[in-house]
Amino acid sequence: MNIHEKYIKRCNELAKNGLGSTYPNPLVGSVIVHKDKIIGEGWHQKAGAPHAEVNAVNSVKDKSLLKKSTIYVSLEPCSHFGKTPPCSDLIIAKGIKKVVIGCVDPFAEVAGRGIKKLMEAGCEVQVGLLEKECQKLNKRFFTFHQKKRPYIILKWAQTADGFIAPEIQEKREPVWITNQYSKQLVHKWRSEEQAILVGTHTAIADNPQLNTRLWEGKNPVRVVIDKGLKIPKESALLDGSIKTIVLTEKEPQKAPENENLVFEKLDFQQNLPEQICEVLYRNNLQSVIIEGGAKTLQSFIDAKLWDEARVFTGIAEFHKGIKAPEFSGKMVSQTSLERDNLKIYRND
């Protein structure tokens, strides 16, 4: 690893601190180096708040060193006025002449323009340091802007004998296959993504809340498939406490009283996963966790519309019931949470 990669790696470490709070903006980290010593660093903490480069510059105690320093950024500095001024203008104004960038920003308002502006101002710019790592860091942002759909995470828990749910549920509540540590981790994941989706059967059988009650963080937008509007009105998903998008083929009998409840009409005779992706993209949702049930998960697998699968296997056995989805992917990690096993797969 060369010296530039060392500092871009630090940028990525800083950027990860913003996961879940920067949407619709990307994760970005920045460090400022003078004579091989970090004199300033920062990351983008929240949409509408100062960007990573601004926080890095502001953290430098002796501003006279900026003109003799190199600024490292995991993603191309912006060149347009959004909720904050362009970071490329700030770098130029502070007289920082050396700029090292992890990867180019795919957002149409930037897409190389920040780099061009810096070079035209006389800055020495290097691009593409740890490029794949920087792109992976912003896999949600890149998928959204390049593929025009959210980054799709499949998630389910299955028994040791391969079932996702029992054949019959006596109560209208979840049947837990995994332990409390796995459950808390799932709530942490929810705080990191923008949306979470379940099908009709799961909504009726489990009456899920789909919130982050076991982890401090922002609740994702809830999305539920309800073709015939069969989900009981007293269900947790329809309580209006969190923005919820209901995907249906029926028009509601009356307009919802709560503004957090949104109905989107789909053609259930056509490719449903593709239509769902279009709705989520239109609602500026960069990522979604598909939590079930088996039919919903399998429909995304069969449509080849998934990026990552997170599969828990518990120690319980049902012997009969609803089988877990069938899929193939590259396993990228395996973790134990007490007696639960978590495998994460990537769709190559």
Side-chain angles (χ1 to χ4, degrees), residues 80-135:
H80 66 293
F81 280 88
K83 291 183 178 179
T84 59
C87 291
S88 52
D89 286 359
L90 172 70
I91 293 170
I92 294 165
K94 295 298 180 182
I96 304 172
K97 292 298 182 182
K98 293 185 178 180
V99 186
V100 181
I101 299 166
C103 62
V104 176
D105 190 331
F107 182 44
E109 292 291 332
V110 187
R113 296 178 187 176
I115 294 168
K116 183 181 178 184
K117 181 180 282 191
L118 290 168
M119 293 178 72
E120 288 177 347
C123 295
E124 179 187 325
V125 182
Q126 291 188 54
V127 187
L129 278 298
L130 295 184
E131 185 175 35
K132 288 184 178 179
E133 288 87 341
C134 293
Q135 290 171 343

Side-chain angles (χ1 to χ4, degrees), residues 49-323:
H51 289 187
E53 300 93 322
V54 177
N55 289 330
V57 167
N58 288 343
S59 73
V60 175
K61 292 181 179 179
D62 185 354
K63 298 292 193 290
S64 68
L65 296 177
L66 288 172
K67 293 182 179 181
K68 308 168 189 174
S69 301
T70 301
I71 187 167
Y72 293 82
V73 193
S74 56
L75 188 71
E76 176 184 2
C78 60
S79 56
H80 66 293
F81 280 88
K83 291 183 178 179
T84 59
C87 291
S88 52
D89 286 359
L90 172 70
I91 293 170
I92 294 165
K94 295 298 180 182
I96 304 172
K97 292 298 182 182
K98 293 185 178 180
V99 186
V100 181
I101 299 166
C103 62
V104 176
D105 190 331
F107 182 44
E109 292 291 332
V110 187
R113 296 178 187 176
I115 294 168
K116 183 181 178 184
K117 181 180 282 191
L118 290 168
M119 293 178 72
E120 288 177 347
C123 295
E124 179 187 325
V125 182
Q126 291 188 54
V127 187
L129 278 298
L130 295 184
E131 185 175 35
K132 288 184 178 179
E133 288 87 341
C134 293
Q135 290 171 343
K136 183 180 178 182
L137 173 70
N138 276 303
K139 55 193 177 184
R140 301 158 182 85
F141 186 76
F142 274 73
T143 298
F144 185 80
H145 287 287
Q146 292 177 338
K147 297 185 178 181
K148 310 301 180 186
R149 66 163 176 83
Y151 185 84
I152 300 169
I153 300 166
L154 309 179
K155 173 263 160 186
W156 71 85
Q158 61 190 31
T159 60
D161 53 352
F163 293 98
I164 197 172
E167 201 167 40
I168 300 172
Q169 285 182 229
E170 296 180 0
K171 296 181 180 180
R172 194 171 177 235
E173 59 185 35
V175 176
W176 297 107
I177 293 172
T178 52
N179 62 41
Q180 60 181 332
Y181 304 107
S182 298
K183 187 177 178 182
Q184 187 180 51
L185 177 59
V186 169
H187 284 236
K188 177 179 183 291
W189 289 344
R190 290 176 181 177
S191 74
E192 295 170 350
E193 310 306 333
Q194 279 201 284
I196 183 167
L197 181 146
V198 295
T200 310
H201 178 79
T202 299
I204 294 174
D206 293 355
N207 192 24
Q209 298 177 59
L210 302 186
N211 57 21
T212 58
R213 60 194 179 277
L214 300 181
W215 192 268
E216 185 175 346
K218 189 175 181 181
N219 291 311
V221 173
R222 304 184 297 199
V223 185
V224 59
I225 301 170
D226 190 6
K227 178 181 178 182
L229 296 180
K230 294 179 180 179
I231 298 172
K233 290 183 173 61
E234 67 274 11
S235 299
L237 288 177
L238 304 180
D239 65 7
S241 62
I242 303 168
K243 182 177 179 180
T244 303
I245 300 173
V246 180
L247 306 171
T248 181
E249 71 172 6
K250 284 193 171 185
E251 295 284 355
Q253 292 182 346
K254 60 178 182 178
E257 297 176 1
N258 194 302
E259 62 180 10
N260 272 342
L261 206 54
V262 179
F263 290 83
E264 291 272 3
K265 197 171 180 181
L266 302 183
D267 182 353
F268 279 70
Q269 302 304 312
Q270 302 299 321
N271 188 311
L272 204 56
E274 280 190 4
Q275 292 181 77
I276 292 171
C277 286
E278 289 171 5
V279 169
L280 299 182
Y281 180 77
R282 193 167 65 246
N283 279 272
N284 294 313
L285 298 170
Q286 291 184 11
S287 65
V288 60
I289 302 175
I290 312 292
E291 279 217 1
K295 182 180 177 182
T296 302
L297 287 160
Q298 195 66 55
S299 69
F300 278 85
I301 293 168
D302 294 344
K304 296 180 174 58
L305 279 173
W306 66 280
D307 299 289
E308 196 174 310
R310 302 174 181 179
V311 184
F312 290 96
T313 302
I315 60 171
E317 293 187 359
F318 287 168
H319 305 295
K320 59 181 180 179
I322 300 172
K323 293 288 288 183

